[in-house]
Amino acid sequence: SFDRASRLLNHDGRWKEVESEALRRELFKDHMEALKRRRVEAEKRKQEGAVASFKELLQRSGLKPSSSWRKVAAKLQDEEAYEALDRLTRLEVFQAHIRQLEEEERQAKEREKEALRRKERKNRDAFRVLLTRHRDEGSITVHSRWKAYVPLVEDVAEYQAVKKNASGSRPKELFEDIILELEEEWEKARPLLKDALRAAGWSATADSSYEGYLEALAGQQQKQQQLQDGEAADGACRLVR
């Protein structure tokens, strides 16, 4: 207190140099408040250091999100970092550490799921490329069926990979998408084919063959090409006249 300080320092010249008791009281008050702040700050740093040490102890202990406080406390109770904190603070630090472990586990699972999704999407894309190539090569037509097609690809890597996918479109569904595209193309092309066959003078009879159908189409296509070439030649002549 000020009175005690006054008794102890009354014979100190520096104490007497202060002009009035009111000023001495004010200086004493400022000094005590500064001491209090330093003690509080020192205690705070000590507490923060103790908390940091206990966190490190928990991290070294290899805990899991499912670890229970009772078992952890029994295991660590003789550690200096454990004893440096009160019971409530130890529990709060432990709970915060468990929440961090749970979040890290959640993020790890999410990364695994995303990696699996990317892998499976890549598998589907590769199989689509294979289906498209077979369509362009004629291995898949509008009349193709899955049961007849699958033996052709069952040993192919692209098929085996997409077959193992746990989610997304199955191989048969991707195949049926290609068939649907072909059916749509056929519906659009059928009127044009009919016109071409009619122009070629071909009509279906009981004796008609597929080869005759193709020959008629080819002949009509050749005539159209010749006509287009003739028109292009006429246009070129007009340009040079």
Side-chain angles (χ1 to χ4, degrees):
S1 67
F2 176 79
D3 293 336
R4 183 184 178 189
S6 181
R7 289 195 300 272
L8 293 175
L9 301 174
N10 191 41
H11 301 294
D12 191 310
R14 291 169 296 180
W15 180 263
K16 292 181 178 181
E17 287 179 0
V18 179
E19 297 178 354
S20 66
E21 183 173 341
L23 183 55
R24 285 194 289 268
R25 284 183 179 276
E26 184 177 349
L27 292 173
F28 176 78
K29 180 182 177 182
D30 292 343
H31 175 70
M32 295 305 294
E33 289 178 351
L35 285 178
K36 183 179 179 180
R37 285 195 299 271
R38 286 198 291 270
R39 283 197 299 268
V40 170
E41 291 171 359
E43 186 62 30
K44 181 180 179 181
R45 288 194 296 271
K46 179 181 178 182
Q47 181 73 357
E48 290 174 346
V51 168
S53 296
F54 189 54
K55 285 182 178 179
E56 292 176 1
L57 177 61
L58 293 176
Q59 291 170 354
R60 294 196 306 270
S61 299
L63 304 185
K64 298 179 180 179
S66 58
S67 298
S68 70
W69 171 239
R70 182 176 59 82
K71 293 182 179 180
V72 172
K75 179 181 178 182
L76 303 179
Q77 61 182 350
D78 295 329
E79 295 286 343
E80 181 180 351
Y82 178 93
E83 293 292 341
L85 296 175
D86 61 74
R87 180 183 301 179
L88 179 59
T89 303
R90 287 195 294 261
L91 179 58
E92 290 175 347
V93 174
F94 169 79
Q95 291 174 337
H97 182 67
I98 292 299
R99 286 195 296 270
Q100 180 181 348
L101 292 178
E102 290 172 344
E103 178 62 18
E104 290 173 354
E105 183 179 64
R106 185 193 67 78
Q107 291 180 1
K109 289 182 179 179
E110 188 60 34
R111 287 193 296 270
E112 289 176 2
K113 288 181 181 179
E114 182 58 29
L116 180 60
R117 283 193 290 266
R118 288 197 299 269
K119 179 181 178 182
E120 291 187 345
R121 183 167 58 249
K122 184 178 179 181
N123 291 342
R124 288 192 296 272
D125 291 344
F127 189 59
R128 285 192 186 97
V129 170
L130 177 67
L131 291 171
T132 301
R133 187 171 76 245
H134 284 176
R135 179 199 63 189
D136 295 342
E137 293 172 350
S139 301
I140 297 177
T141 70
V142 71
H143 301 296
S144 296
R145 293 297 175 262
W146 176 248
K147 285 186 177 180
Y149 175 74
V150 70
L152 302 177
V153 295
E154 59 185 354
D155 295 326
V156 178
E158 290 89 341
Y159 170 75
Q160 289 295 328
V162 78
K163 183 181 178 182
K164 295 176 182 177
N165 282 2
S167 62
S169 299
R170 307 305 301 157
K172 183 179 179 181
E173 293 172 333
L174 297 172
F175 170 83
E176 290 174 346
D177 288 343
I178 293 292
I179 297 300
L180 181 60
E181 291 175 4
L182 287 172
E183 289 175 348
E184 291 174 350
E185 291 175 5
W186 166 248
E187 288 299 322
K188 292 178 180 179
R190 185 162 57 176
L192 299 176
L193 290 174
K194 287 183 178 180
D195 292 343
L197 291 172
R198 191 180 298 111
W202 187 90
S203 60
T205 65
D207 298 328
S208 297
S209 65
Y210 183 63
E211 288 75 12
Y213 164 78
L214 293 179
E215 287 177 3
L217 281 179
Q220 182 60 23
Q221 288 176 344
Q222 185 176 8
K223 289 179 180 179
Q224 289 180 343
Q225 185 62 48
Q226 290 173 349
L227 180 60
Q228 291 174 357
D229 292 344
E231 291 175 350
D234 291 341
C237 291
R238 285 194 297 272
L239 289 174
V240 299
R241 285 174 185 169

